[in-house]
Amino acid sequence: MRVVILFGTESGTAEFVANDLLDAIAGFDDTIEADVVDMTDQPVDDIDVAALHLVVCSTYGDGELPASARPFHAGLERECPNLTGLRYAMFGMGDSSYVDTYSHGSEIIDATLTGLGATRVGEYGRHDASGRDAASDVALTWLEGLRATVLLTASER
């Protein structure tokens, strides 16, 4: 079974989180093949709908997509691939002191994926940069909540 950890970042924090998730997944089950992919490097016509995707996306500026997510999102909107069958889990990053735009970058990607037929699974994870907890710690707790989904997906495929 394949898990793709897809990240969109501006300053690199989402990439660090994605790599920490990769390390954690390695301990789940040795039949799981996991990769970390920057959204910039993910062609929209080559999305593996059979793989479970864990999406980690930060927010930039006034609720905008981070730099590395912009080409991926633009490609999704331009090409409108049929993502029926794609299952993904979302982990958004932002700062709640920006009340109206907190974690909005991930929400943009989330809405686009579901609009193209993908299905979000599990709880929507979020990290608040204004909080006390490190982003990776929050993400690892979120992943633990998804563990059954990841392992179930592994047994189904």
Side-chain angles (χ1 to χ4, degrees):
M1 171 258 155
R2 183 164 183 244
V3 174
V4 176
I5 305 166
L6 192 61
F7 72 89
T9 193
E10 186 74 31
S11 64
T13 305
E15 181 176 9
F16 289 123
V17 169
N19 283 309
D20 286 342
L21 293 173
L22 177 69
D23 291 343
I25 288 172
F28 279 11
D29 184 315
D30 61 0
T31 65
I32 298 173
E33 172 194 335
D35 299 299
V36 172
V37 179
D38 187 330
M39 286 185 192
T40 297
D41 299 327
Q42 177 61 65
V44 298
D45 61 349
D46 194 30
I47 296 172
D48 182 358
V49 297
L52 175 66
H53 285 66
L54 305 182
V55 182
V56 180
C57 189
S58 64
T59 301
Y60 180 71
D62 287 331
E64 300 159 20
L65 288 169
S68 79
R70 289 181 200 140
F72 177 71
H73 182 257
L76 290 173
E77 288 195 321
R78 181 180 57 254
E79 296 181 30
C80 297
N82 180 356
L83 298 180
T84 302
L86 176 71
R87 293 171 20 129
Y88 72 96
M90 182 63 68
F91 187 80
M93 301 172 67
D95 187 328
S96 66
S97 65
Y98 298 93
V99 177
D100 294 334
T101 60
Y102 169 59
S103 190
H104 190 67
S106 66
E107 292 170 357
I108 294 168
I109 296 294
D110 182 61
T112 303
L113 291 174
T114 58
L116 294 169
T119 303
R120 181 166 29 97
V121 297
E123 183 179 331
Y124 199 121
R126 295 185 198 267
H127 175 257
D128 181 1
S130 290
R132 299 177 120 175
D133 298 320
S136 286
D137 291 343
V138 175
L140 291 170
T141 299
W142 167 78
L143 179 63
E144 191 57 39
L146 287 172
R147 184 180 184 129
T149 300
V150 172
L151 293 174
L152 178 63
T153 301
S155 69
E156 290 175 349
R157 307 232 182 213

